[in-house]
Amino acid sequence: MDEGSFVNLSDVVDDFNEAFFASGALEGLSTVVAERVDAGRVESLDRRRFGAPIARPHQILCIGLNYSDHAAETGQAVPSEPILFTKSPNTLIGPNDDVIVPRLSEKTDWEVELGIVIGRRASYLSDEVEAHEAIAGYVLVNDVSERAWQIQRNGQWTKGKSAPTFNPAGPWLATKDEIGDVLALDMWLDIDGARRQTGSTSTMIFSPTFIVHYLSQFMVLEPGDLINTGTPPGVGMGMNPQVYLKGGETMTLGISRLGSQTQHVKAYSA
């Protein structure tokens, strides 16, 4: 409800998973929430640990180089079509859970991103209007990446994206009516209090509705699927000299209307 309180729906919803989004139950939650607020059934956040606002999705899809200013900092051309790669669904963790630098990692990096959550099964969507209807809402994500594995180890980017803890999400999912203009959201990320990324969804090359429509031409999007839509400039790979996570750092990041996250970075330990 605000920075310090919430309404508990665990007796109404088993989990925010594929079955929940497919059922259309999301639309009815606002009524339940309003009734509980009126009845004073609001709880304090206290020091509780909150997981990701969606259950493990069927798939996590990612769009690379989707910000014109990020493409420029990496020295790569602006893509003519969305660059698609996947991320293992078991990378998903809560917004404030620890991020683990993987074993033998050389170049673990950060990426603040806007995430799209799919609200209904979508295949061969006719246009962006239909794509908008298929979106349940948006979520803040940190698309943590291992650049040496992503770029220098041949093959697909998936290898550098799928280590455990590499996809913090949350603190909440915001439905479309709460966001307004999704292409006017400020984005930021700090490492140990120093600003690294400052950006806006306004510099996206491909909009969320374009992405959802585009992807539906190649695959079936299932309810609860997560799409990471790219990052603005300021990643460690784009710095001169390059800077990467080793363990011991604190990442803090946020997007307007989608809240903020804080992750403590830890080096791998058996």
Side-chain angles (χ1 to χ4, degrees):
M1 302 311 298
D2 52 41
E3 294 296 328
S5 64
F6 72 102
V7 173
N8 191 336
L9 298 172
S10 59
D11 61 326
V12 178
V13 179
D14 179 57
D15 209 341
F16 296 113
N17 53 19
E18 181 177 347
F20 167 78
F21 288 107
S23 71
L26 179 63
E27 296 180 3
L29 287 186
S30 59
T31 301
V32 178
V33 170
E35 291 173 349
R36 294 189 174 188
V37 170
D38 290 342
R41 296 177 61 182
V42 177
E43 302 181 31
S44 173
L45 294 176
D46 294 326
R47 295 181 178 270
R48 303 182 194 217
R49 180 260 175 185
F50 285 82
I54 58 173
R56 181 183 295 184
H58 168 258
Q59 57 187 345
I60 298 177
L61 303 170
C62 305
I63 306 299
L65 297 178
N66 193 34
Y67 283 71
S68 55
D69 39 11
H70 174 56
E73 79 167 340
T74 62
Q76 301 184 67
V78 172
S80 58
E81 294 186 55
I83 296 173
L84 173 66
F85 61 93
T86 63
K87 194 163 191 168
S88 177
N90 65 7
T91 59
L92 190 72
I93 60 172
N96 301 315
D97 291 341
D98 293 339
V99 166
I100 309 300
V101 175
R103 184 171 68 97
L104 304 180
S105 167
E106 300 174 4
K107 299 180 178 181
T108 296
D109 206 347
W110 55 84
E111 294 187 19
V112 58
E113 301 198 10
L114 173 75
I116 304 168
V117 177
I118 299 298
R120 64 174 177 84
R121 198 169 191 265
S123 178
Y124 299 121
L125 298 173
S126 59
D127 52 31
E128 291 188 51
V129 173
E130 193 172 8
H132 178 76
E133 295 171 353
I135 296 173
Y138 300 97
V139 63
L140 167 65
V141 297
N142 188 354
D143 178 20
V144 185
S145 310
E146 213 298 339
R147 303 298 191 187
W149 301 351
Q150 175 188 354
I151 299 169
Q152 300 167 220
R153 296 293 296 272
N154 298 325
Q156 300 298 312
W157 289 5
T158 301
K159 287 187 290 188
K161 298 284 187 171
S162 294
T165 75
F166 265 28
N167 207 109
W172 57 72
L173 182 151
T175 49
K176 291 174 291 188
D177 59 296
E178 296 177 318
I179 291 297
D181 186 358
V182 73
L183 294 178
L185 304 178
D186 295 327
M187 312 169 72
W188 58 273
L189 182 144
D190 295 346
I191 302 295
D192 293 332
R195 183 60 43 94
R196 297 302 187 197
Q197 290 188 270
T198 302
S200 168
T201 55
S202 63
T203 66
M204 270 189 175
I205 299 167
F206 305 106
S207 71
T209 52
F210 183 97
I211 291 168
V212 172
H213 171 258
Y214 179 86
L215 294 181
S216 77
Q217 310 307 307
F218 301 94
M219 65 190 71
V220 176
L221 303 175
E222 299 288 358
D225 279 357
L226 175 63
I227 305 171
N228 296 340
T229 61
T231 195
V235 298
M237 180 176 62
M239 298 177 67
N240 187 15
Q242 295 177 340
V243 176
Y244 294 108
L245 301 169
K246 303 298 183 184
E249 303 91 348
T250 297
M251 294 188 284
T252 309
L253 57 147
I255 299 179
S256 53
R257 299 183 182 273
L258 292 176
S260 62
Q261 305 178 353
T262 298
Q263 293 113 32
H264 299 294
V265 183
K266 296 188 175 181
Y268 174 85
S269 172

